[in-house]
Amino acid sequence: MRTRTVVVIGHGMVGHRFVEALRTQDTAGAWRIVVLAEESDAAYDRVGLSSYVGAWDRSLLALTGNDYAGDALVDLRLGTAVTGIDRHAKRVTVADGSVVDYDALVLSTGSYPFVPPVPGSDSDGCHVYRTLDDLDAIRADAEAALARDPDAVGIVVGGGLLGLEAANALRLLGMRPHIVEFAPRLMPLQVDEAGGEHLMRLVRALGIDVTVGAGTSAIEQLDAAHGAGRLRATLSNDEVLAAALLVFSAGVRPRDELARAAGLNIGERGGVLCDLSCATSDPDAYAIGEVAAIEGRCYGLVGPGYTTAEVVADRLLGGDAEFPGADLSTKLKLLGVDVASFGDAMGTTPGALAVVVSDPIGGTYSKLVLSDDAQTLLGGIMVGDASSYGTLRPLVGSNLPGDPVALIAPAGSGDRPGIGVGALPDDAQICSCNDVSKGTLRSAVAGGSCTVAELKGCTKAGTSCGSCVPLLLQLLAAEGVEVSKALCEHFSQSRAELFEIVQASGIRTFSGLIERYGTGTGCDLCKPAVASILASTSSDHILDGEQASLQDTNDHFLANLQRNGTYSVVPRVPGGDITAEQLILIGEIARDFGLYTKITGGQRIDMFGATVDQLPQIWARLVEGGMESGHAYGKALRTVKSCVGTDWCRYGQQDSVQMAIELELRYRGLRAPHKIKMGVSGCARECAEARGKDVGVIATESGWNLYVGGNGGMTPKHAQLLASDLDDKTLVRYIDRFLIYYIRTADRLQRTAPWIEGLDGSLDHLREVIIDDSLGLAADFEAAMERHVAGYSCEWKAVLDDPDKLTRFVSFVNAPGAPDPTVEFTEKNGRKVPVLIGTPAVPSS
């Protein structure tokens, strides 16, 4: 059968979802996909556009698999604008004059920002808020304005969802935002008048000016003499605002110009008119996402867009899928304020009743819209506290499970009953972004999906905005899936609970802990875990007394075991800063002991091939030369990688080398649930790859940006921005808190990325704990770190000073000094390499 070609115009979130859906379902390879993308960036998370501010890393927003690497049936062409569609010839023309023929056409052109026809709207300093390029332009103007005036004002025209996002972006850039909204309240499509009043009060409390009930009549560009206030905006209420820049965020319009020019039918209010199959007036052309006017209506949310993508993928493969309608519910955290709206939020249903709980002192507003008999939930609005959104939204159209006032009582009041996911019917939609019902999730659990990660993988629930993840956890519990917190069969407690027990009880031995709080004699799971806890809660040497028997192979000999039974030696090189004398010392040791040397990605030098009995001899020379253990063998801080910083690099904004040295010397020897890596970059060019580290620090003009939770390995994760523009002391204080909180609460062998993901509230919760001190433990965290710093000593120097500890470094206890006959080497490319135990050495040719 001939492979047919479908051309997709546009590569946003919905266009990407269409490609994924078609390639997943098209097992026979019936369709070749050509994607023509106007933007130079492949599909990225436009919903999370504001997270680009501060990080300024486009790769962090990239959607998974957006390059279709290795898929010969997908041809992605970035920076390729389509200029025309010839429906009769079934051909599209691109800006460079080339053409692409198609058998089917999918329009995924999205929408464009609406700019009101205001005189002066095209002045320099006027922007829109839609793409990564838009944010880069806003950033450039904002930084220039702030250099002239630290109190520079930025006007945002539009107080809807995107308007508040834009205001937050200006706020993060250091500007003073002023929101101008034509409607009498903020977010007029999502909240009612009372909810808008609450929202405006909360937004103003953040230092953001708000003007409602007024439009923008004119914009005037001023000369350079006016400094940062180079724009003057006149409002319809005659108020005049001076600003450094202005951002239009007054809604969007579907990008239907190509369809219009091609003669396709257009909806009354714009958009490409299509039926429930998403087919346009041309049966070989489809429209998906924001540009699709399904039976005359365009949907501006990603959830309905994904549904249209899947409908068209099914249709191209001979299916009969139809657009089922859309859930227009929204739940967002805007400027740190929770806002949610679902169902018939405005109460337009005839006879609808409203139940309202308003708490202006606590800053919360909740409304439920009920049927005329007060039995059926129709919709709701929440401002300030949206914690009950997850369980209430799926109940729309169903009977309420309790007193409506109690259901929206303020969190923590003691009056709110726990509805739980168990009260929801099977057809209740748990994930609105991906249209996943409770019944679908229950089927997945019955099929063996027993973790949140597994449910995400097989149903896509929770993979878009993530707001339904708490419900996934509830559902697993409701289905009887028991997620054990036990460390192992010998301890019913979790690692975090054992940490608290050790701290509170003062127990300093494994035998004492298992006697009082466990059973049996322990195992290879709990012994190293408890050893790590004991090491994290004191400065005792890990080879002291009973604790020495708990260590795994690496910690047992303070070195990394290699494949032929030898060990590697890794001295610490703080921040990658090393002297010529230290380089010579390492070279001489490697030569004298016949060691293989390798420069690592962590900016230090590994020496491989040392036998157990050679380790003290090697370390004696290193310690005498002023070097110390690099802890490459332990679940502890490994390295703090740095660039060359301001001393040498012409782009450097802060002294990254000195900061890296200070951080590595502060946290050296810090024992943790897993290894910890850090990086410090002196500018946004990011030569130290800090965003791939557990703790990443990147210099800005005014300080440091702090990133956390970056991990490499089998499931790499980019670090997330925790705080911006920190001074040196605040940066160190936040890192102290972050590390101690992680050490105390993470599971055994859990890296920082999955630990953060597993926190209830994820990064938002972490910010509350680290920055806002929501648990009241910040001082305790900092004091714990100070105790670590004060108690640090090099583990290898302590071994060399202790004859009893030195006795363990022998290949054979009954024959000290005897060489291990099983250790063999051969040569490869002129270098010494190991021979596996039991494998004969083969001489190199």
Side-chain angles (χ1 to χ4, degrees):
M1 183 175 63
R2 179 180 70 90
T3 298
R4 292 175 290 173
T5 298
V6 54
V7 170
V8 184
I9 303 178
H11 193 230
M13 298 177 72
V14 174
H16 176 55
R17 175 58 69 93
F18 167 76
V19 176
E20 284 190 316
L22 184 57
R23 291 298 298 122
T24 299
Q25 298 173 43
D26 184 15
T27 56
W31 287 95
R32 171 177 172 264
I33 307 171
V34 179
V35 184
L36 305 177
E38 184 176 42
E39 287 191 62
S40 58
D41 296 284
Y44 57 87
D45 182 9
R46 204 181 300 274
V47 174
L49 186 63
S50 294
S51 65
Y52 180 55
V53 178
W56 305 113
D57 183 351
R58 297 186 176 216
S59 66
L60 294 180
L61 273 73
L63 298 182
T64 302
N66 65 357
D67 59 354
Y68 317 112
D71 192 337
L73 288 177
V74 181
D75 179 5
L76 173 62
R77 306 181 190 180
L78 300 176
T80 305
V82 174
T83 56
I85 301 170
D86 185 339
R87 290 167 46 209
H88 300 292
K90 288 191 175 182
R91 176 177 296 161
V92 299
T93 303
V94 298
D96 64 4
S98 61
V99 297
V100 182
D101 294 331
Y102 66 82
D103 296 287
L105 179 68
V106 176
L107 294 166
S108 183
T109 49
S111 58
Y112 66 91
F114 171 67
V115 176
V118 176
S121 61
D122 58 350
S123 301
D124 289 343
C126 290
H127 301 270
V128 294
Y129 192 86
R130 179 69 178 174
T131 68
L132 295 172
D133 289 341
D134 293 335
L135 262 68
D136 282 340
I138 292 170
R139 177 192 184 188
D141 270 4
E143 290 179 346
L146 290 168
R148 297 188 296 266
D149 179 4
D151 295 320
V153 173
I155 297 173
V156 177
V157 176
L161 293 175
L162 281 179
L164 295 185
E165 291 273 9
N168 191 41
L170 296 184
R171 179 168 166 259
L172 292 174
L173 284 167
M175 302 193 77
R176 290 176 48 209
H178 190 133
I179 301 171
V180 177
E181 168 57 45
F182 182 76
R185 61 182 181 275
L186 296 175
M187 292 184 67
L189 298 180
Q190 287 79 27
V191 302
D192 59 10
E193 184 176 352
E197 284 292 327
H198 275 265
L199 180 59
M200 185 160 63
R201 195 159 40 242
L202 293 171
V203 170
R204 283 176 169 164
L206 296 172
I208 296 175
D209 295 322
V210 180
T211 299
V212 295
T216 305
S217 302
I219 299 168
E220 181 183 0
Q221 187 166 357
L222 307 177
D223 57 37
H226 290 84
R230 60 178 179 151
L231 293 175
R232 178 183 294 150
T234 302
L235 307 186
S236 59
N237 62 0
D238 295 330
E239 183 179 0
V240 177
L241 304 177
L245 60 81
L246 183 148
V247 179
F248 287 106
S249 188
V252 295
R253 300 290 186 270
R255 288 197 60 180
D256 55 20
E257 65 273 16
L258 284 172
R260 288 177 186 270
L264 293 174
N265 291 346
I266 303 298
E268 184 177 339
R269 301 185 64 182
V272 184
L273 191 64
C274 52
D275 59 21
L276 294 179
S277 72
C278 297
T280 68
S281 52
D282 181 337
D284 293 319
Y286 298 83
I288 60 176
E290 293 172 297
V291 76
I294 304 173
E295 295 190 328
R297 180 174 183 178
C298 292
Y299 297 89
L301 299 177
V302 68
Y306 282 168
T307 302
T308 62
E310 288 158 3
V311 166
V312 174
D314 180 78
R315 287 281 173 164
L316 290 181
L317 296 172
D320 58 1
E322 289 189 343
F323 184 73
D327 181 358
L328 302 182
S329 303
T330 55
K331 177 180 180 290
L332 309 106
K333 185 181 284 288
L334 300 165
L335 294 161
V337 179
D338 284 324
V339 180
S341 172
F342 60 94
D344 181 14
M346 301 302 173
T348 59
T349 302
L353 305 174
V355 175
V356 175
V357 174
S358 177
D359 180 9
I361 297 176
T364 63
Y365 171 84
S366 299
K367 180 177 84 169
L368 293 183
V369 179
L370 311 177
S371 59
D372 55 5
D373 60 359
Q375 298 297 310
T376 304
L377 179 63
L378 301 179
I381 294 171
M382 298 166 187
V383 177
D385 173 20
S387 57
S388 58
Y389 168 85
T391 48
L392 287 173
R393 181 193 56 76
L395 287 173
V396 171
S398 304
N399 287 341
L400 283 172
D403 175 17
V405 174
L407 294 177
I408 55 175
S413 66
D415 297 326
R416 180 186 291 180
I419 303 174
V421 74
L424 305 179
D426 274 358
D427 60 356
Q429 188 183 61
I430 301 297
C431 176
S432 59
C433 291
N434 296 289
D435 191 24
V436 183
S437 68
K438 175 184 172 182
T440 299
L441 290 165
R442 291 186 65 200
S443 296
V445 172
S449 297
C450 297
T451 66
V452 170
E454 290 170 349
L455 287 177
K456 285 182 174 182
C458 67
T459 68
K460 292 192 179 296
T463 59
S464 294
C465 76
S467 65
C468 63
V469 169
L471 287 183
L472 302 185
L473 288 167
Q474 286 186 30
L475 184 132
L476 287 170
E479 292 298 301
V481 177
E482 184 175 353
V483 181
S484 175
K485 64 179 181 179
L487 182 65
C488 67
E489 61 183 290
H490 302 104
F491 287 100
S492 61
Q493 302 88 349
S494 67
R495 181 195 173 277
E497 289 170 336
L498 285 176
F499 193 103
E500 294 300 320
I501 288 171
V502 169
Q503 273 201 310
S505 66
I507 294 174
R508 298 303 310 160
T509 63
F510 177 82
S511 57
L513 187 67
I514 200 167
E515 180 181 356
R516 287 186 58 184
Y517 296 98
T519 59
T521 58
C523 63
D524 290 339
L525 295 179
C526 59
K527 286 182 179 179
V530 171
S532 173
I533 292 172
L534 294 173
S536 298
T537 51
S538 82
S539 298
D540 297 341
H541 198 284
I542 65 170
L543 298 183
D544 279 342
E546 181 193 82
Q547 193 169 345
S549 65
L550 306 178
Q551 308 301 332
D552 62 18
T553 304
N554 288 344
D555 281 316
H556 194 71
F557 291 114
L558 305 184
N560 276 355
L561 178 67
Q562 304 303 322
R563 61 189 302 173
N564 70 333
T566 59
Y567 291 83
S568 62
V569 174
V570 189
R572 184 171 300 286
V573 182
D577 186 64
I578 190 167
T579 66
E581 289 75 14
Q582 291 170 331
L583 284 170
I584 292 169
L585 175 62
I586 291 173
E588 289 177 339
I589 291 172
R591 179 198 60 204
D592 295 347
F593 287 89
L595 304 179
Y596 175 94
T597 53
K598 177 74 170 63
I599 297 175
T600 73
Q603 296 180 334
R604 53 189 184 180
I605 301 173
D606 287 13
M607 292 177 277
F608 295 87
T611 57
V612 169
D613 56 294
Q614 291 175 331
L615 291 174
Q617 303 170 51
I618 294 169
W619 275 107
R621 292 176 60 175
L622 288 168
V623 170
E624 184 181 358
M627 305 193 80
E628 63 181 23
S629 170
H631 288 92
Y633 48 82
K635 298 295 186 285
L637 174 73
R638 297 289 179 85
T639 62
V640 182
K641 187 175 181 179
S642 74
C643 60
V644 295
T646 50
D647 285 345
W648 295 95
C649 181
R650 67 184 187 275
Y651 300 109
Q653 294 181 308
Q654 304 290 343
D655 190 349
S656 58
V657 176
Q658 186 58 38
M659 177 57 71
I661 292 172
E662 291 175 6
L663 293 179
E664 186 156 350
L665 294 179
R666 181 173 183 80
Y667 303 121
R668 58 187 171 178
L670 182 67
R671 294 281 172 162
H674 211 297
K675 61 187 175 185
I676 299 172
K677 296 184 178 182
M678 300 186 186
V680 183
S681 287
C683 71
R685 291 170 179 263
E686 244 286 71
C687 294
E689 301 167 330
R691 289 173 209 162
K693 311 300 183 191
D694 298 277
V695 175
V697 179
I698 301 177
T700 67
E701 289 184 356
S702 52
W704 306 95
N705 284 353
L706 174 60
Y707 297 81
V708 294
N711 291 167
M714 294 180 64
T715 53
K717 297 281 188 182
H718 279 293
Q720 303 178 74
L721 181 66
L722 183 70
S724 302
D725 294 326
L726 305 176
D727 58 52
D728 290 7
K729 290 184 178 179
T730 304
L731 173 70
V732 172
R733 191 163 64 245
Y734 285 178
I735 297 175
D736 284 355
R737 297 176 185 178
F738 170 76
L739 291 174
I740 295 298
Y741 188 41
Y742 162 63
I743 290 168
R744 290 186 179 182
T745 61
D747 289 335
R748 166 186 166 274
L749 298 181
Q750 186 178 40
R751 293 293 300 271
T752 56
W755 170 68
I756 293 172
E757 189 174 300
L759 294 174
D760 187 7
S762 191
L763 189 65
D764 290 333
H765 171 74
L766 193 63
R767 284 198 182 99
E768 292 168 359
V769 173
I770 304 304
I771 300 173
D772 302 331
D773 192 19
S774 61
L775 300 180
L777 293 173
D780 183 35
F781 292 160
E782 292 170 23
M785 189 60 76
E786 290 300 335
R787 288 194 295 272
H788 162 75
V789 173
Y792 169 78
S793 62
C794 173
E795 290 174 348
W796 260 109
K797 185 177 187 305
V799 167
L800 297 171
D801 293 339
D802 188 337
D804 289 338
K805 291 186 175 70
L806 281 172
T807 60
R808 71 174 49 250
F809 292 91
V810 293
S811 296
F812 302 100
V813 175
N814 59 351
D820 187 345
T822 65
V823 174
E824 292 186 76
F825 298 93
T826 185
E827 284 192 3
K828 180 180 180 181
N829 299 325
R831 303 292 303 280
K832 173 181 175 178
V833 293
V835 175
L836 293 183
I837 295 175
T839 303
V842 179
S844 59
S845 55

